[in-house]
């Protein structure tokens, strides 16, 4: 292996680790916030306007729905973090994250106020910007899934 190739591989490995554990940190931290009253209020417009979640909110209520989402995020983050000793579990967590981020990105189509009113279709509001960043997390989840699956074979 040439020195140039080794340093590129090293950089790739560092980048993959940073990406994995940044994703883990985001999921666990944000998941714990779902137990705070202000976060229940923050996600209310997202979940009540979603065809996927509106019936869950009606059945469980806003607080329990937020807590269910929080527990889910914490579990997914913990599974992704388990790669060094349980790569198969980590792959499952990453696959679950892919589904979760596809779901949250669907809120772009269902949540009122995603775009700035009277400013055109491409002008995102703060809510739209908040949701759009999940496309990066989706990409991170796909990469962590692939990396974990590679390690299940070793």
């Amino acid at each position: 292996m040439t020195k140039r190739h080794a340093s590129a591989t090293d950089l790739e490995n560092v980048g993959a680790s940073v990406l994995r554990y940044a994703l883990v940190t985001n999921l666990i931290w944000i998941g714990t916030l779902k137990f705070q009253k202000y976060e229940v209020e923050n996600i209310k417009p997202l979940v009540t306007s979603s065809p996927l979640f509106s019936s869950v909110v009606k059945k469980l209520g806003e607080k329990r729905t937020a807590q269910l989402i929080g527990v889910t995020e914490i579990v997914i983050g913990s599974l992704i973090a388990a790669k060094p000793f349980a790569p198969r579990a980590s792959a499952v967590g990453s696959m679950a994250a892919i589904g979760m981020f596809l779901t949250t990105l669907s809120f772009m189509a269902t949540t009122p106020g995603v775009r700035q009113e009277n400013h055109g279709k491409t002008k995102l509001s703060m809510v739209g910007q908040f949701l759009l960043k999940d496309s990066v997390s989706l990409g991170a989840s796909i990469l962590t899934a692939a990396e974990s699956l590679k390690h299940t074979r070793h």
Side-chain angles (χ1 to χ4, degrees), residues 3-154:
K3 186 174 182 167
R4 178 177 288 165
H5 181 69
S7 62
T9 300
D10 292 343
L11 187 59
E12 182 180 21
N13 291 337
V14 169
S17 291
V18 168
L19 189 63
R20 173 177 299 281
Y21 293 105
L23 179 62
V24 166
T25 300
N26 275 268
L27 286 166
I28 292 174
W29 194 341
I30 293 169
T32 62
L33 295 178
K34 297 296 189 291
F35 293 85
Q36 303 296 315
K37 184 176 172 84
Y38 81 93
E39 186 62 10
V40 174
E41 290 300 315
N42 285 343
I43 68 168
K44 182 179 177 178
L46 303 172
V47 294
T48 57
S49 62
S50 167
L52 299 170
F53 278 92
S54 58
S55 60
V56 175
V57 174
K58 286 178 186 167
K59 189 172 190 168
L60 298 179
E62 295 166 3
K63 182 179 177 182
R64 284 195 179 130
T65 300
Q67 291 171 342
L68 176 63
I69 293 168
V71 167
T72 302
E73 290 172 328
I74 292 166
V75 168
I76 289 171
S78 299
L79 287 170
I80 294 170
K83 184 198 162 245
F85 54 89
R88 194 174 313 271
S90 183
V92 169
S94 293
M95 296 294 200
I98 291 168
M100 183 181 68
F101 290 120
L102 287 171
T103 300
T104 59
L105 285 168
S106 77
F107 295 167
M108 295 280 292
T110 60
T111 304
V114 167
R115 292 170 189 76
Q116 297 273 348
E117 296 298 319
N118 304 320
H119 292 286
K121 291 181 179 183
T122 60
K123 307 293 184 188
L124 292 176
S125 68
M126 290 298 288
V127 172
Q129 293 172 42
F130 167 78
L131 291 170
L132 184 61
K133 60 115 180 90
D134 279 358
S135 61
V136 176
S137 298
L138 173 61
S141 301
I142 293 167
L143 287 173
T144 60
E147 184 189 38
S148 294
L149 287 170
K150 271 198 265 186
H151 283 85
T152 62
R153 295 186 194 118
H154 296 117

